[in-house]
Amino acid sequence: MDGKELRVVFGKNVKLYRSRRSWSQADLAEYANISINFLGDIERGKKWPHPDTLSKIADALEIKIFELFMEENTGINPETQTIMNRFVKDVSLTINKSLSQSVNQSIENIIKQYGLNKKSKKK
């Protein structure tokens, strides 16, 4: 595999791992602290990141750097992968909403139990 092919594999993997998280290019660019244009060029195999940037991308995606250089063959077609990603995102949102409601209810109960919401009267 030559340098150009390696850039293409790398770019496809960045896009693949980004897509698995249901992130836009803007999301990953923000998390990795790089520009959207630069990320787009990386994903298209046009540009090569500095090693520090490579590390930031892998960290943002929560993967090991070497995973970005492996040829991926999941056996799952892209449409199924997209549906699975949406499902995971929906479940995560539901769990977060439920957790948030539970925390808010607990806070309300603590406030009521300890009378923290009553205004103190000054004499």
Side-chain angles (χ1 to χ4, degrees):
M1 181 181 307
D2 66 15
K4 184 176 181 179
E5 291 171 328
L6 188 60
R7 276 195 312 271
V8 170
V9 168
F10 174 76
K12 285 181 180 180
N13 282 335
V14 169
K15 185 175 182 176
L16 173 71
Y17 285 106
R18 176 178 61 76
S19 296
R20 285 184 178 172
R21 291 182 163 274
S22 299
W23 285 355
S24 67
Q25 284 184 332
D27 293 328
L28 179 54
E30 181 179 341
Y31 298 135
N33 197 27
I34 60 176
S35 75
I36 296 171
N37 290 338
F38 185 52
L39 177 59
D41 287 342
I42 290 170
E43 288 187 356
R44 288 187 298 280
K46 291 183 175 185
K47 293 210 175 166
W48 193 248
H50 184 275
D52 290 339
T53 304
L54 178 62
S55 181
K56 288 179 184 179
I57 291 169
D59 288 347
L61 294 169
E62 297 180 344
I63 60 173
K64 302 288 184 194
I65 292 173
F66 76 86
E67 293 177 83
L68 292 170
F69 295 96
M70 296 176 62
E71 293 192 74
E72 186 70 25
N73 184 6
T74 62
I76 300 173
N77 71 41
E79 184 177 335
T80 302
Q81 186 67 48
T82 300
I83 291 168
M84 290 170 52
N85 289 341
R86 287 182 186 154
F87 174 76
V88 168
K89 189 174 185 179
D90 289 346
V91 168
S92 295
L93 290 173
T94 301
I95 290 170
N96 287 338
K97 183 178 178 182
S98 177
L99 181 61
S100 178
Q101 289 172 344
S102 294
V103 168
N104 287 336
Q105 184 62 44
S106 295
I107 291 170
E108 287 176 20
N109 289 340
I110 290 169
I111 288 171
K112 287 177 186 176
Q113 182 177 356
Y114 294 99
L116 299 174
N117 64 342
K118 294 179 183 176
K119 293 181 181 177
S120 61
K121 296 180 182 178
K122 294 185 179 179
K123 291 184 179 182

